[in-house]
Amino acid sequence: MGETRQYQAKTLEVALSKAARDLRVPMEAVQHEVVFDGRRGLFGFGQRDVIIRVDVDSSRSAAAETGIAQERRDGPSPVAEERRQASPARPHPSAAPPRTGRGPGGARPARPQAREETTQARPAVRPSAAPRTEQGRTLLSISQELIGGMKLDIDCVVHDEGEDALLELSGADERLIIGRHGDVLEALQYLLNRMLARVPGLSGRRVFVDCAGYRSRHERNIEEQARRTAVKVRQTGEAVQMEPMNPYHRRLVHLALQDEPGIKTFSTGEGYLRRLTIAPAD
């Protein structure tokens, strides 16, 4: 078996580029096998590199067959050398007249001051107020560690007076922490609850994550949509199936319509495809 070498990088293309530079062959000639195709991770956490195994002899043979690697190993070809000698010689830069750097009258022009560039690191997640309880401080510490890895400009406040805790976020990167239709906010809340479930003293508490009042506005929109749908069902006498929702949002609809006359609600389906139906009462 011939010689093999392993290379790893964030992407397959970068790993192949490393192998090509090391073997001094073009990237398209690298004969490789993917050992591990990498892992993207969530929010950048858990990301792993791509690993490839390269057959050294086969790669060099493939490059030699196309004649691409010959010039890299043996120097320029005779034809290229002949063309170089036939071309007129260019004057060496040292033959140019020296520059005095002086303007008319021999005065030296003023040297422009170098522009001072200052780069400020983006602030990490910052607590706006210290929690009152030990559980709240633990929640804040874990939240800072998780959100801080996202490199966002975010302020963090923990409200832990009630049965459930609320992590309230705000700052310049609110749009990024909320995500499209609140998907980043939901994922962050899920991760926090999974992490806190293993912490003594916090395993029985739920944590809700909100940013700039987005969650409360979204919940009001869901309740208003449910009431409008109930009016439509009452007028037409036909059931309406709503879009897939998570268990918490389905519960909001059930509670919002539990006292509506002539209306009943029920859920069908499994997992993420589970949907809530608003129908006329029997």
Side-chain angles (χ1 to χ4, degrees), residues 40-59:
R40 182 178 179 183
L42 182 62
F43 299 144
F45 298 102
Q47 182 174 352
R48 297 179 62 183
D49 290 349
V50 174
I51 302 176
I52 61 173
R53 182 183 296 114
V54 175
D55 189 318
V56 177
D57 296 334
S58 298
S59 299

Side-chain angles (χ1 to χ4, degrees), residues 157-177:
V157 178
V158 172
H159 303 279
D160 60 333
E161 292 81 5
E163 180 180 353
D164 298 326
L166 171 65
L167 176 64
E168 189 174 1
L169 307 175
S170 61
D173 290 326
E174 292 174 353
R175 180 178 58 85
L176 298 177
I177 202 72

Side-chain angles (χ1 to χ4, degrees), residues 36 39 58 67 75 85 149 165 175 195 201 216 240:
F36 183 72
R39 180 182 300 168
S58 298
Q85 294 178 358
R175 180 178 58 85
M195 295 171 67
S216 57
V240 174

Side-chain angles (χ1 to χ4, degrees), residues 100-110:
T100 61
R102 298 180 181 273
R108 184 181 298 274

Side-chain angles (χ1 to χ4, degrees), residues 20 153 158 166 201 235 243:
D153 186 0
V158 172
L166 171 65
Q235 292 174 346
E243 294 296 323

Side-chain angles (χ1 to χ4, degrees), residues 4-135:
T4 61
R5 301 180 189 177
Q6 283 194 357
Y7 302 88
Q8 68 180 65
K10 296 295 182 183
T11 64
L12 176 60
E13 184 177 5
V14 176
L16 290 173
S17 178
K18 285 184 177 181
R21 288 197 303 268
D22 184 36
L23 301 180
R24 300 179 62 82
V25 299
M27 192 166 67
E28 58 270 17
V30 176
Q31 305 298 305
H32 69 282
E33 172 190 0
V34 177
V35 178
F36 183 72
D37 59 0
R39 180 182 300 168
R40 182 178 179 183
L42 182 62
F43 299 144
F45 298 102
Q47 182 174 352
R48 297 179 62 183
D49 290 349
V50 174
I51 302 176
I52 61 173
R53 182 183 296 114
V54 175
D55 189 318
V56 177
D57 296 334
S58 298
S59 299
R60 287 174 175 167
S61 298
E65 288 176 2
T66 58
I68 301 177
Q70 181 177 357
E71 185 173 343
R72 295 188 179 183
R73 294 197 306 268
D74 303 331
S77 63
V79 176
E81 182 66 19
E82 182 179 352
R83 290 178 179 175
R84 187 187 66 81
Q85 294 178 358
S87 61
R90 296 182 179 179
H92 194 273
S94 60
R99 298 180 180 179
T100 61
R102 298 180 181 273
R108 184 181 298 274
R111 178 177 297 178
Q113 295 182 353
R115 183 179 179 181
E116 183 178 358
E117 296 183 359
T118 58
T119 56
Q120 297 181 351
R122 302 189 72 179
V125 57
R126 301 180 299 272
S128 296
R132 298 179 180 179
T133 66
E134 183 64 29
Q135 292 180 343

Side-chain angles (χ1 to χ4, degrees), residues 168-267:
E168 189 174 1
L169 307 175
S170 61
D173 290 326
E174 292 174 353
R175 180 178 58 85
L176 298 177
I177 202 72
I178 292 174
R180 186 173 181 268
H181 302 310
D183 53 355
V184 177
L185 208 61
E186 289 292 336
L188 181 61
Q189 177 175 294
Y190 173 79
L191 286 177
L192 273 176
N193 280 279
R194 290 296 300 269
M195 295 171 67
L196 294 172
R198 302 184 179 185
V199 178
L202 291 176
S203 57
R205 301 189 68 183
R206 289 185 304 174
V207 177
F208 294 93
V209 182
D210 196 6
C211 182
Y214 173 84
R215 181 175 296 278
S216 57
R217 293 194 304 271
H218 186 52
E219 291 176 358
R220 286 197 301 269
N221 290 337
I222 291 177
E223 293 172 348
E224 292 173 0
Q225 181 185 4
R227 294 189 180 95
R228 290 195 300 268
T229 304
V231 172
K232 179 180 178 181
V233 169
R234 193 180 295 113
Q235 292 174 346
T236 62
E238 297 180 355
V240 174
Q241 192 175 56
M242 304 188 72
E243 294 296 323
M245 299 180 182
N246 60 41
Y248 177 73
H249 290 159
R250 290 198 302 271
R251 183 172 180 270
L252 286 178
V253 176
H254 288 306
L255 293 176
L257 301 182
Q258 64 181 355
D259 296 328
E260 286 286 334
I263 293 295
K264 67 177 181 180
T265 59
F266 57 90
S267 298

